[in-house]
Amino acid sequence: MIDPKSQVKIIAKGLPASPGAAVGKVVLTAEDAERAADKGEKVILVRAETSPEDIGGMNAAQGILTARGGMTSHAAVVARGMGKCCVAGCGAINVNEVQKYFTVNDLVVKEGEYITLNGTTGEVMLGQAPLVTPELTGDFGIFMKWVDEYRKLGVRTNADTSHDSEVARKFGAEGIGLCRTEHMFFAPERISAVREMILADDTEGRKKALVKLLPMQKSDFIEIFRVMKGLPVTIRLLDPPLHEFLPHAEEDIRALAASTEVPVEKLKARNKALEEFNPMLGHRGCRLGVTYPEIYEMQVRAIMEAACELSKQKIKIIPEIMIPLIGHVNELRMMRELTVKTADEVQKRYNTKVSYTVGTMIELPRAAITADEIAAYADFYSFGTNDLTQTAFGLSRDDAGRFLPYYIEKGILENDPFVTLDQKGIGVLMKIGVEKGRKVKKHMKMGICGEHGGDPQSVEFCHKIGLDYVSCSPYRVPIARLAAAQSSLKEKSKKDLSRTTV
Amino acid sequence: MIDPKSQVKIIAKGLPASPGAAVGKVVLTAEDAERAADKGEKVILVRAETSPEDIGGMNAAQGILTARGGMTSHAAVVARGMGKCCVAGCGAINVNEVQKYFTVNDLVVKEGEYITLNGTTGEVMLGQAPLVTPELTGDFGIFMKWVDEYRKLGVRTNADTSHDSEVARKFGAEGIGLCRTEHMFFAPERISAVREMILADDTEGRKKALVKLLPMQKSDFIEIFRVMKGLPVTIRLLDPPLHEFLPHAEEDIRALAASTEVPVEKLKARNKALEEFNPMLGHRGCRLGVTYPEIYEMQVRAIMEAACELSKQKIKIIPEIMIPLIGHVNELRMMRELTVKTADEVQKRYNTKVSYTVGTMIELPRAAITADEIAAYADFYSFGTNDLTQTAFGLSRDDAGRFLPYYIEKGILENDPFVTLDQKGIGVLMKIGVEKGRKVKKHMKMGICGEHGGDPQSVEFCHKIGLDYVSCSPYRVPIARLAAAQSSLKEKSKKDLSRTTV
């Protein structure tokens, strides 16, 4: 947020499309944003309006400012999804993309000049306002304590790094609901080992590369576990399709060929072989674990070695190992066996015991429908409502930009189903999953780790269907806590009311 | 089938992987198969084993012969899906792809030589055996009459041409359950008008191109309606994403640029703009109708003009207009309004009445879950179990080749869910759809038009959940009729049994 004590000059006001604050140099195209970010510069992307081609630039920018579009415009929807500050529909500005400036009345703001956005109020400021990290102290701290007295729903966070975990813990997160291990794979010093694994011709070759990854993954887990000591940490095993880790631009392929001594032609052939028509519905999630068990085995080993080492230091660790994209109980049965076998080995080797659990995401309609069968091999369920929305609606989030804004504008859909949970469709599948799962395991722990976990309306729904916790991005933890308390109070007042009238 | 009177030399025997018979010249690569087919030649694709890259060649060939792989190998699964004759796992043959021949013991069969396959027995023959169309006469005819006395389930066919419709009607089809209009778009003389529509800059441009398509679509419908007179014809409006209609190879783009006078650069940009990450979950089905209503309007006009003209000739026409990929009731509400408005106009213009119905596919999990809401605007439901399997399993049929065979081999899945309906998952969604739909409209007509409609086990399931009909490819109509009768008899004997024991 902008330091409340700062003196800033407000030059325009638009819609508060995505909260938070951002400071950066003005850029007028997505390409410029990406180029500047590559050089380590902080920029604000200013556009007449954004379109799907701007995604890369939006991601690279600190914040986004658009002249046109409402609260459900492309810029607004995407920015909220990214957790990025955005002021949309700021009609007072006039964007000249070609000559690289924008105007507000007589004021001309050129590329490279600093501006500041306040996504919570919609204000646009000239210059660099000082930003401060909002803290949960004073009145706010007292208020949040009251909130916690009333809520029943636990609130966790989605965090892949120790930094995010720390932020979330400060905001009151009671554990990690989703730690995505693949983000760790992308770091420059690791990606080469990941690529070596993908390019290997056989299991032996893959294992050799995985040995290099093991200590890196382990050290990540040690850091995260330390920050989260005493609290549960749900770690999801590798999820995305392998081709996401290979380079695709000609120059990157050549660079990789040079560094790995794998011929360019072979690299291209491998890329081609891994290409998919519908990667979202392809060789990913537990399908990777089933076909290349050595990958998941390495990940489980890294988790358990980290846990055992900290446990020996008397640090309390609660690892929850989560298998993604289960569609059939047999997948989970196999992956659970692999996990338990590996975890047992590690514990034996360290001569220590760490209690851990193995669970799965419910993120495919078939998993929700067969949640009773799957429950036999799961200690917990986490509803992956991003993918559940994509599959049950038959709607690719990456492609929906071409028609979803029109759908919302015309009232065909009331809300963007990726922002606010679609209770009538996706919600019913969740309910089926909860009921079927708890029919088999009465007290099975269940949560949500889709982005809906930070949306107040969706949090209320999660409360109603009896989830144990929601998990959301670190900065949304306080709002999720508040929404959870409001849900409890709402329920209570309804009950009181019905008692009175009866 | 092979003429039973013919004298043929059997040179080897493999697995009867996909029934039927095929005669053609030997080709050893998928590219050769495609090239030969383009020249109008009939070929048999002979491979050590097939992989997803061979799909084009498999499609172009009359039949497929492989040296390796079982009944659920890639070749077998894909061939059955295509309804194409296949002999798989024929271990006696040795394939030399580079030198373009295969051997069986001492016999060398070179590229270009004729062979004949019998996919029903697994036999491979040298030379061209005479083929005959199996006819439902004699004992078979009598038997099928008995069959029809017992079955309750109707049997329709999936047919896009008058030829297929004729074949199916001879086999006893009681109507068309799925007529895919897009197949009509691909004919060489039409594709240019389709492309003109896609390349148009605005609604006006699209309408101009659609005017050219209207008479062609109309004449197709007239032909099909004539063949199917007196029987219902379910016509599905445009379903695939538009980029499927544009050329992608450099030379094809240049050719299109030359013929349309649209600059190559613009063509490429349009291709790029229409590209999707997950086309299966993208801008297709009713989403096209919602965003470009003029397309569906043209199609409805073509259907109703055809119907009105034939109706004036006293030919009885029963058109059922089907809207694909409905995920939300509001989509169907809009598309139904458009359909009814257009149909009314046409009938007024022709001064005649044709009774028609408007329904939808239930092919997305969300549609099944909200089938009660959707029922308000639907006269019938057709379960599109291909897409329902893809979305509920989160499994792209085009990409599953990389792990699905492994899943079946390891017993993770009992069957290929694209061949035999997954009753525990997809079947439960269908049941929910049937129950919710009929809660609102008690006697609502419901059928299935996914490929499962021709699989005996799946047909039995459709009988059990109370569908009115199954629809399958023309040659599977007799087997579907038989499976339907067996389902009735099974049910009856169970009832009889329970009466006896009680």
Side-chain angles (χ1 to χ4, degrees), chain A residues 273 275 277-281 287 330-331 364 366 373 392-394 396 398-399 402 407 412 422 424, chain B residues 273 275 277-281 287 330-331 334 364 366 373 392-394 396 398-399 402 407 412 422 424:
Chain A
E275 239 174 44
F277 293 99
N278 297 289
M280 162 75 209
L281 308 176
R287 296 161 192 171
N330 286 344
E331 296 173 312
L364 293 177
R366 195 185 185 281
E373 283 193 334
F393 254 107
S396 158
D398 292 326
D399 301 308
R402 211 166 291 148
Y407 267 48
I412 298 172
D422 158 55
K424 281 191 180 174
Chain B
E275 240 174 45
F277 293 99
N278 297 289
M280 162 75 210
L281 308 175
R287 297 162 192 169
N330 286 343
E331 296 173 311
M334 268 180 87
L364 293 176
R366 196 185 185 282
E373 282 193 336
F393 254 107
S396 157
D398 292 327
D399 301 308
R402 212 167 289 149
Y407 266 49
I412 298 172
D422 159 55
K424 282 191 178 172

Side-chain angles (χ1 to χ4, degrees), chain A residues 44-303:
Chain A
I44 304 284
L45 178 61
V46 183
R47 305 280 291 154
E49 60 194 335
T50 61
S51 69
E53 292 88 64
D54 293 330
I55 295 280
M58 294 171 77
N59 196 31
Q62 301 296 308
I64 297 138
L65 169 62
T66 66
R68 288 197 293 268
M71 289 297 280
T72 53
S73 64
H74 180 265
V77 169
V78 172
R80 282 198 298 272
M82 289 179 173
K84 190 152 286 193
C85 166
C86 173
V87 173
C90 183
I93 69 165
N94 244 306
V95 180
N96 190 324
E97 178 188 320
V98 181
Q99 314 226 340
K100 312 245 168 172
Y101 65 83
F102 73 87
T103 59
V104 188
N105 299 324
D106 293 341
L107 178 70
V108 178
V109 184
K110 289 192 199 133
E111 183 182 49
E113 285 190 60
Y114 274 101
I115 61 170
T116 300
L117 301 181
N118 186 340
T120 314
T121 60
E123 288 161 345
V124 182
M125 286 140 277
L126 201 59
Q128 306 180 59
L131 300 190
V132 294
T133 304
E135 297 222 10
L136 302 193
T137 49
D139 291 347
F140 192 65
I142 297 170
F143 178 73
M144 290 312 285
K145 254 189 204 159
W146 296 344
V147 159
D148 286 347
E149 281 169 31
Y150 284 99
R151 74 182 160 92
K152 288 182 199 148
L153 213 46
V155 177
R156 297 195 188 182
T157 190
N158 298 351
D160 313 332
T161 63
S162 55
H163 171 261
D164 283 358
S165 309
E166 228 161 308
V167 170
R169 199 161 181 168
K170 268 190 205 149
F171 281 143
E174 299 160 309
I176 291 182
L178 175 64
C179 173
R180 285 162 291 217
T181 50
E182 57 267 19
H183 287 196
M184 307 172 181
F185 279 26
F186 279 107
E189 68 279 15
R190 299 167 186 203
I191 190 76
S192 62
V194 174
R195 287 171 175 170
E196 187 187 324
M197 172 192 78
I198 297 170
L199 296 170
D201 289 317
D202 51 24
T203 312
E204 281 322 300
R206 274 192 295 278
K207 281 190 177 169
K208 241 178 77 187
L210 287 165
V211 164
K212 295 184 195 165
L213 281 170
L214 177 79
M216 304 179 195
Q217 285 242 300
K218 184 171 147 186
S219 76
D220 287 325
F221 293 136
I222 288 182
E223 278 184 43
I224 292 173
F225 283 150
R226 267 189 207 281
V227 173
M228 281 289 159
K229 68 179 172 203
L231 297 178
V233 176
T234 307
I235 298 170
R236 181 178 72 183
L237 302 188
L238 192 68
D239 185 51
L242 297 182
H243 54 76
E244 283 196 11
F245 299 101
L246 288 184
H248 290 93
E250 185 72 27
E251 61 202 76
D252 297 334
I253 293 176
R254 293 201 175 273
L256 180 60
S259 72
T260 55
E261 293 178 15
V262 173
V264 168
E265 289 320 307
K266 190 180 164 186
L267 272 182
K268 285 189 180 170
R270 194 84 186 112
N271 252 343
K272 181 97 192 138
L274 287 175
E275 239 174 44
E276 295 186 300
F277 293 99
N278 297 289
M280 162 75 209
L281 308 176
H283 198 178
R284 53 171 285 237
C286 71
R287 296 161 192 171
L288 293 172
V290 168
T291 48
Y292 305 124
E294 56 276 10
I295 301 179
Y296 276 18
E297 196 192 316
M298 179 281 285
Q299 295 199 292
V300 173
R301 179 160 294 148
I303 294 167

Side-chain angles (χ1 to χ4, degrees), chain A residues 458-487:
Chain A
S458 313
V459 170
E460 186 182 348
F461 180 78
C462 293
H463 172 90
K464 277 189 195 157
I465 63 168
L467 295 195
D468 297 297
Y469 67 88
V470 298
S471 187
C472 57
S473 65
Y475 288 98
R476 295 174 95 181
V477 166
I479 196 84
R481 285 163 65 196
L482 178 58
Q486 285 169 333
S487 310

Side-chain angles (χ1 to χ4, degrees), chain B residues 356-460:
Chain B
Y356 67 96
T357 54
V358 184
T360 182
M361 313 263 299
I362 301 290
E363 55 185 334
L364 293 176
R366 196 185 185 282
I369 295 288
T370 60
D372 43 357
E373 282 193 336
I374 295 174
Y377 299 94
D379 301 318
F380 63 88
Y381 280 165
S382 179
F383 287 89
T385 49
N386 296 348
D387 276 9
L388 195 61
T389 301
Q390 294 198 86
T391 47
F393 254 107
L395 193 62
S396 157
R397 200 175 176 175
D398 292 327
D399 301 308
R402 212 167 289 149
F403 52 91
L404 198 52
Y406 182 87
Y407 266 49
I408 294 166
E409 193 191 312
K410 294 280 168 191
I412 298 172
L413 294 179
E414 216 178 311
N415 297 300
D416 180 333
F418 295 112
V419 174
T420 299
L421 190 84
D422 159 55
Q423 297 185 15
K424 282 191 178 172
I426 314 308
V428 171
L429 278 171
M430 289 173 71
K431 250 160 102 175
I432 292 173
V434 171
E435 283 162 16
K436 290 201 168 185
R438 293 226 173 108
K439 212 171 66 186
V440 175
K441 289 188 175 166
K442 204 176 163 191
H443 299 293
M444 189 169 177
K445 186 154 73 175
M446 295 193 190
I448 179 177
C449 62
E451 283 176 40
H452 305 96
D455 169 71
Q457 252 180 280
S458 313
V459 170
E460 186 181 346

